[in-house]
Amino acid sequence: MAPTKKKTKGTVGVVGLGIMGGSFARNLVKAGWRVVGFDISAERRKELAKAGVEIAKDVGAVAAAVPIIITSLPKPQALKATAKAINAARVPSRIIIECSTFTIEDKEAAEKLLRGGGHTLLDCPVSGTGSQAATGDLVIYASGDSKAISKVLPVFAAFSRKTYDVGKFGNGSRMKYVANLLVAINNVASAEAMVLGMKAGLDPKTIFEMISNGAGNSRVFELRAPMMVNNDYSKATMKCAVWQKDMSVIGSFARKMGVPTPLFRATEPIYRAAIKCGLAEQDTAAVCAVLEARAGLKRGRKATRR
């Protein structure tokens, strides 16, 4: 007797299986979805295959197998290449959920390209770190065709805690820029506070406990300060090198809007210094190590450098 085929909630594709996309895929599998994925990295493909993701040979094969595709990509060039590959597959109309942080112009170009191939692209950046993505603690800023957004809500529910339909295409990105501007500032502010406290002789664990229970707390502090306490940024939830791309996108958007961002701009040299110090592949919480060095604060354990 042939074994009974396991019933799933549906089939969804994920292109880009890095920190964020890999978490989307894992949580979708756990939630009962059949997931077909692809990444240019053989290591990531192997890792996600172990998590239950069916690995396709390329983007075209993903498009051929699924009605809905999630993209989580590092560069706009990758989005353009993915859009072209989906069109080249000549498959029926697909809904593509684009979750990366790029300029609106880059996303609009991809939307036009895919629309020409009969597909619907949604602009759906997520708010949250890699560690939040791992537990499904993400907020999705969905924008674009409202009917398409309604169709994919069950998919979002598998890897996030809340989805907002923020209106016309591009509004998702606009909302993400606002959110990440605050993340950039709060992260450096958290490091600044930690270094001040440690230089004053306070135990870092005590600083974390007191701040996280007081008026100065923030979600970013709760997520990043534990790394600062341990002086270990190797388990990156957002790599400094990748964050530089987001910073550039946000800064460019704010200038285009004619909005002054003095606090945001003040953080930029701190993040650049982290990369110059060899912390490009470390979590952005590593700005704490930069400020410690500038404060002349030395701890027994050094931040990992690559």
Side-chain angles (χ1 to χ4, degrees):
M1 188 175 183
T4 303
K5 193 172 182 180
K6 186 177 179 181
K7 188 175 180 180
T8 65
K9 291 182 179 179
T11 304
V12 62
V14 180
V15 176
L17 301 172
I19 292 175
M20 301 301 285
S23 291
F24 301 164
R26 288 187 184 90
N27 285 325
L28 281 159
V29 169
K30 290 177 184 176
W33 290 80
R34 175 192 172 216
V35 181
V36 180
F38 177 74
D39 194 286
I40 60 173
S41 166
E43 183 180 350
R44 289 175 185 168
R45 295 196 300 267
K46 183 177 180 181
E47 182 182 341
L48 270 297
K50 292 179 181 178
V53 176
E54 297 178 28
I55 302 300
K57 65 177 182 178
D58 54 29
V59 174
V62 174
V66 304
I68 299 168
I69 304 168
I70 302 168
T71 56
S72 181
L73 303 164
K75 297 179 181 180
Q77 293 89 339
L79 175 58
K80 184 177 181 180
T82 298
K84 286 184 175 180
I86 292 172
N87 282 352
R90 299 190 179 281
V91 294
S93 180
R94 303 303 194 212
I95 296 175
I96 297 92
I97 302 168
E98 215 304 292
C99 296
S100 317
T101 302
F102 299 138
T103 67
I104 293 172
E105 291 78 11
D106 283 328
K107 294 216 178 185
E108 287 175 338
E111 189 278 333
K112 182 178 180 180
L113 186 61
L114 285 162
R115 182 163 25 95
H119 308 295
T120 300
L121 180 70
L122 299 175
D123 172 37
C124 303
V126 301
S127 179
T129 66
S131 60
Q132 287 175 287
T135 61
D137 183 24
L138 297 174
V139 173
I140 298 172
Y141 304 135
S143 63
D145 185 279
S146 59
K147 290 183 179 179
I149 291 173
S150 295
K151 286 181 181 179
V152 300
L153 286 177
V155 175
F156 289 143
F159 64 89
S160 69
R161 62 179 169 84
K162 184 72 174 179
T163 296
Y164 291 98
D165 182 341
V166 293
K168 68 178 183 179
F169 188 92
N171 275 0
S173 286
R174 293 180 180 93
M175 190 64 242
K176 179 63 182 291
Y177 304 157
V178 172
N180 272 12
L181 180 144
L182 286 169
V183 170
I185 295 168
N186 283 331
N187 184 51
V188 174
S190 297
E192 189 174 299
M194 288 294 297
V195 172
L196 177 62
M198 289 188 290
K199 187 71 182 287
L202 296 173
D203 176 72
K205 291 182 180 179
T206 300
I207 298 170
F208 173 70
E209 182 179 354
M210 297 297 102
I211 296 300
S212 61
N213 284 288
N217 189 36
S218 71
R219 194 69 184 274
V220 172
F221 183 85
E222 290 179 352
L223 291 165
R224 295 268 162 70
M227 298 185 206
M228 299 174 189
V229 170
N230 294 325
N231 197 21
D232 184 357
Y233 312 105
S234 58
K235 294 181 180 179
T237 62
M238 170 56 78
K239 295 179 181 179
C240 289
V242 177
W243 185 243
Q244 282 296 95
K245 178 262 297 177
D246 286 19
M247 294 284 288
S248 177
V249 169
I250 297 166
S252 176
F253 181 73
R255 287 190 295 273
K256 187 176 180 180
M257 292 293 100
V259 175
T261 55
L263 294 179
F264 176 77
R265 291 184 64 185
T267 71
E268 291 177 329
I270 311 300
Y271 288 109
R272 286 197 297 269
I275 292 175
K276 289 181 180 179
C277 289
L279 300 169
E281 296 301 305
Q282 304 296 292
D283 191 88
T284 53
V287 293
C288 187
V290 173
L291 295 181
E292 285 179 55
R294 292 184 179 183
L297 176 64
K298 295 183 179 180
R299 289 198 272 174
R301 188 179 179 187
K302 300 293 183 182
T304 306
R305 286 171 169 76
R306 293 180 182 177

